[in-house]
Amino acid sequence: MQEEYIKLIFGLKLKQVRAYKDLSLFKLSKLTGLSKSYLNEIEKGKKYPKTDKIILLAEALEIPYDEIVSLKLDKNLAPIAEILQSNLLQEIPLELFGIEERDLIEIISNAPMKVNAFISTLIEIGNNYNLTKESFYLASLRSFQEANDNYFPEIEQSAKNFLKEYLVNSDDSVTNETMEEILKEEYNYTIVYKDFKDLGAAELAKLRSIYIKEKHLLYINSTTDNDQKRFILAKELGYNYLNLTKRLYTFSWASFEEFDQLLNNFYASYFAGALLLPEDKLLKDMQNLFALESHDLSKFQEILGKYTESPETVYQRMTNLLPKHFNIRDLFFLRLSTKVGSNSYKLTKELHLNQQQSPQANETEEHYCRRWVSLNVLKELENQKDDHHEISAQISIYPFNNNQKYYVISSATKDPFNPNYLRSVTIGVLYKSAQRKIKFMNDPQIPVREVAVTCENCGMENCADRAAKPSRFEKNIRTKRLNVIINDFIKEENKI
């Protein structure tokens, strides 16, 4: 246990016992002969007294020496002790948000009971929603992306330096052969393409790659499509070129032990996107697209086809460039999946910049609004017999959320590893902040639909797409009506 935490626990106990004995710092100072400022620093966890001074404190407070030096706290402060002893504060990526660990310790020492109640509340919420350490880290990573507008200039420059260093023409796409050669010659990789179904475990067949660090051996699932192979190779280059030692060893990842692994996975993935879709090149294509007066999805598909057959990489890359180069910061990115024949949809990835845009992740098993374009595009794809890329767009208005208005575009494809599943990726931009930058958004031919977040929380009448009753909405209406009645009753009583 860190020395800082031992100081803090001692200080918390001293403060708690002193308050219980109804002693002020001034009174305790008189009883022990220790200065008031020194006692204050002890209680804040800044200093740990020597043995002779601890004896003085124990005698003044009339408690055994062993009890006051014990790291065990009573039930009122137990959650704080558990967090300190678990080193959770070390694991939380505080530095990403400019927070010093000392600052948190100061807050805890100043109001331990309130902090304890807050921590207990968080633990209870986490248990109710099955909040795991992994989900906490993923939320921290999303917050880090959002705090930086999802744009990281150092990695953008590293990708440009890489292309220049290895003489890749900026007008050309880096080839698989070039990436393989660099991994082999510069980083001593051995690359093996193999059908993971032959590896002996059915679970491995779902993975796209496995990296064995000790041997610099990279297995790539041969059944993976070319776009995924390119991304895997580019990501491995990112790990090495950026010198990211703490890493994940499978794609898709199965688990991770510490936050740095997840963060470095993001950095390597960002590098891969910047390598495969160079900033200057994609930016020019986006500028040309946004200058069009008419809304033409085929033009958007041309950009997708120019870089990759997988729309997700392009959509993700656009979330990097829209805030930086177009000053469009109010946006969201979603990825949804569904099983063919199912009426259930799962939000598997999301990003919200500048504010928590609607829609957002739903932890209460409610039904997402069936008017979303990201759901409709999945339905359209399911109705098609041949494999292709389905794309659609609309202007979504949220009447129950201050009439917020978004331009939303979504693409759906079959899951390359599981043909029984479909997935869609979506970008939405706040209409009022984007319409001057994206001219085609003013085209009256774009479909406009009123939408909600979930059916349970939607008061839209006569909705033909509703998948569940508006239970939460009706409950909120009843609660508001009851409050009005109660307030009216109180006013009438006060008049009497």
Side-chain angles (χ1 to χ4, degrees), residues 17-69:
V17 175
R18 178 177 63 79
Y20 180 76
K21 298 283 186 179
D22 197 25
L23 291 173
S24 66
L25 280 174
F26 177 79
K27 289 180 180 178
L28 185 59
S29 173
K30 290 296 182 181
L31 288 173
T32 60
L34 303 174
S35 71
K36 180 181 173 182
S37 60
Y38 179 65
L39 291 172
N40 186 47
E41 288 190 318
I42 293 174
E43 289 191 354
K44 287 188 174 183
K46 293 181 178 180
K47 289 187 177 179
Y48 192 90
K50 292 182 179 179
T51 303
D52 59 332
K53 293 181 173 61
I54 296 176
I55 292 173
L56 287 174
L57 289 169
E59 290 176 348
L61 295 171
E62 298 178 339
I63 60 173
Y65 176 91
D66 290 343
E67 182 178 332
I68 197 171
V69 298

Side-chain angles (χ1 to χ4, degrees), residues 153-314:
E154 299 85 359
I155 304 180
E156 297 282 356
Q157 189 58 52
S158 293
K160 292 173 184 176
N161 293 343
F162 178 92
L163 292 171
K164 184 177 180 180
E165 184 177 338
Y166 289 99
L167 304 176
V168 177
N169 191 315
S170 59
D171 294 328
D172 298 329
S173 297
V174 59
T175 65
N176 293 26
E177 292 74 21
T178 298
M179 290 190 285
E180 287 184 19
E181 182 181 10
I182 295 170
L183 285 171
K184 291 175 181 177
E185 297 297 328
E186 294 284 344
Y187 303 111
N188 300 316
Y189 268 54
T190 299
I191 302 174
V192 177
Y193 290 92
K194 189 177 184 65
D195 188 338
F196 282 12
K197 292 179 181 177
D198 300 332
L199 295 181
E203 289 77 9
L204 294 178
K206 298 178 181 179
L207 298 177
R208 294 161 174 78
S209 68
I210 302 173
Y211 178 66
I212 301 175
K213 179 181 178 181
E214 293 75 14
K215 297 182 177 180
H216 294 282
L217 176 59
L218 176 64
Y219 278 101
I220 298 179
N221 196 330
S222 58
T223 63
T224 302
D225 62 37
N226 186 56
D227 287 303
Q228 291 285 349
K229 291 174 182 175
R230 288 176 55 75
F231 188 80
I232 291 166
L233 294 169
K235 190 173 176 181
E236 290 299 323
L237 288 171
Y239 272 123
N240 288 276
Y241 194 75
L242 299 176
N243 195 29
L244 304 173
T245 54
K246 294 181 179 179
R247 57 163 296 165
L248 302 178
Y249 297 100
T250 63
F251 179 60
S252 301
W253 56 266
S255 63
F256 51 86
E257 298 299 323
E258 53 184 305
F259 181 78
D260 281 348
Q261 291 176 299
L262 186 63
L263 180 62
N264 289 341
N265 178 71
F266 166 72
Y267 285 150
S269 298
Y270 191 105
F271 180 90
L275 196 65
L276 300 175
L277 291 83
E279 181 176 20
D280 296 339
K281 190 175 178 181
L282 179 58
L283 177 60
K284 185 177 180 180
D285 286 334
M286 292 172 67
Q287 289 170 336
N288 291 336
L289 175 67
F290 295 168
L292 297 175
E293 298 284 349
S294 60
H295 185 249
D296 188 351
L297 289 177
S298 67
K299 298 296 184 182
F300 193 85
Q301 284 182 301
E302 286 180 13
I303 293 180
L304 295 177
K306 184 176 182 179
Y307 295 96
T308 174
E309 294 177 6
S310 172
E312 181 169 354
T313 308
V314 181

Side-chain angles (χ1 to χ4, degrees), residues 83-101:
I83 286 179
L84 295 177
Q85 294 180 29
S86 69
N87 289 332
L88 178 62
L89 293 183
Q90 287 182 277
E91 296 178 358
I92 298 174
L94 299 173
E95 68 282 355
L96 291 182
F97 306 101
I99 300 173
E100 295 289 337
E101 186 178 328

Side-chain angles (χ1 to χ4, degrees), residues 5 26 42 78 106 109 170 175 242 246 330 337 398 413 460:
Y5 298 162
F26 177 79
I42 293 174
E106 183 83 16
S109 64
S170 59
T175 65
L242 299 176
K246 294 181 179 179
D330 294 280
S337 69
Y398 288 81
T413 57
M460 200 176 298

Side-chain angles (χ1 to χ4, degrees), residues 434-496:
Q435 66 177 131
R436 286 182 293 180
K437 304 286 184 178
I438 305 175
K439 291 185 177 181
F440 65 70
M441 280 176 49
N442 298 299
D443 188 341
Q445 300 300 315
I446 303 176
V448 180
R449 297 198 80 184
E450 287 190 342
V451 300
V453 178
T454 66
C455 293
E456 285 83 351
N457 204 26
C458 170
M460 200 176 298
E461 296 181 358
N462 303 318
C463 176
D465 301 307
R466 182 177 292 281
K469 294 180 179 180
S471 54
R472 281 186 63 199
F473 178 82
E474 291 174 347
K475 181 179 179 181
N476 290 337
I477 293 295
R478 289 194 299 270
T479 301
K480 290 178 181 178
R481 186 180 297 125
L482 178 59
N483 286 332
V484 170
I485 295 172
I486 292 172
N487 290 332
D488 289 344
F489 175 78
I490 293 174
K491 288 179 182 178
E492 291 298 323
E493 287 295 310
N494 287 331
K495 291 179 182 179
I496 301 173

